Amino acid sequence: MKVLLIGASGYIGSAVSAHLADAGHQVVALVRTDRPDAGHEQRVGDLTDPASLTRAVTSDIDAVVNLAPPTGDAAVDAAAITALTDPLRGTGRAFVYASGVWVLGATGSAAADESTPVNPLPIVGYRPAIERQVLDTADAGVRATVIRPGIVHGNGGGIPAILVGLARKHGTPMYVGQEAVHWPMVHVDDLADLFVATVEKAPAGSLWHGVSESAVPVRDLAVAAGAAAGVDGEPQPWPLEDARAQLGAPFADALVLDQTVSGDAARENLGWLPRRAGAVADVREVSYPQVDTDGIEVFGAADGQQTDVEAIVRFVAGVQYAQQNELVDAFMSNFRKQHPVWTTAHGKRLSGWDEIDGFTRQVLPGAMKQSTATYEVVRILFVRPDVAAVNVLQRPVTLDGQPIADRPEGRPMYVLAKDNGRWRIAAAQNTQVFSG
């Protein structure tokens, strides 16, 4: 499918763009000004210029995904929806609108599903009306759908980064308001998978909650953020009035919203399978800890590739997390789909994603019952800006992290390829090292 994506360069949009491309779809980005180096087709348009939006939705566009944040002007946003959906009327082509769970208001411990009445906070006050406008176009032959993401985490971005920043600034874990608050959460890559599934098969007029964890205690997130920031101690409240003064009252008030939200409908009806690390583990161990690149040998890096070095270190941390926790789907998400190859430490040659997937499903479950391993990047060679050979030191450890002296270490070597802005394993080989 050819998908017009609005907000393709944003935190969520960049993940959705990558996952659409990985699924074989052609992404066309709506941009305010043309960028020749963007790497994909672009159409110029602006949410405040309805005519430019309608021009962008040409007959070759099979689906439109609107990830743009609200402008703050209900009339402008309503006009933009009309302009984007008018060319789709009577065609059965898809239109997907990204809203958010804050339209539900406080739910407390009662899990809200897609049938729960809305009670929006002021920061999203007119969004339910936009949702209704989108869904009403289903009666005019548009395959219109709405996704309400939870609080998004992953890849070092989103609201959890605020908690990490607070911990670093104050030298102690912190949260806004009261520790009894819960947030419905979703990893940005899992959310991107949901957008792909919705584009491909969601029925007209459907509404979905993009939530993989229905109620994560904000206190636990604050503790994890402290660990990521390298600070310990009991989490402390950031007074709401102070947060309002620094973040603005509407946003600060949203951060103290206590919610429990179910995402089961998307799992059951769209086959959505969230598979990345949960929010607490992701903040503590994978996406948010400060990356230390000292001691890593780096060769062939171009100017400005320090961010790629850090991304590769985080990528290997994700491999470690999936391995240690026996998460087959999360582990397999590290491989590119196009003809990966892998030679295991025992010399078994695996060719192609399906063969690697089948082998992993056989050997990974139960493999960490008695011991596990840590992964440390020691050397990176950039063959090209988008291809890197990565040497890793794999140390066997007990389940409580103690080194195992009589077990051979591993020396994995990953060939990583950067596909659609994301590093993935194209080839891998592990070698066991026996001392003495």
Side-chain angles (χ1 to χ4, degrees), residues 1 3-6 16 20 62-68 81 84-85 88 93-99 134-135 137 142-149 191 194-203 206-208 270:
M1 299 174 70
V3 183
L4 180 67
L5 184 56
I6 302 158
V16 173
L20 283 168
D62 299 300
V64 178
V65 177
N66 186 359
L67 286 162
I81 296 298
L84 289 166
T85 57
L88 305 177
R93 290 183 284 168
F95 182 82
V96 183
Y97 174 71
S99 181
V134 169
L135 295 175
T137 65
V142 181
R143 188 161 63 86
T145 56
V146 171
I147 296 176
R148 292 173 178 162
L191 179 62
L194 177 58
F195 272 93
V196 173
T198 303
V199 165
E200 292 178 341
K201 56 188 175 184
S206 57
L207 169 67
W208 310 97
L270 297 179

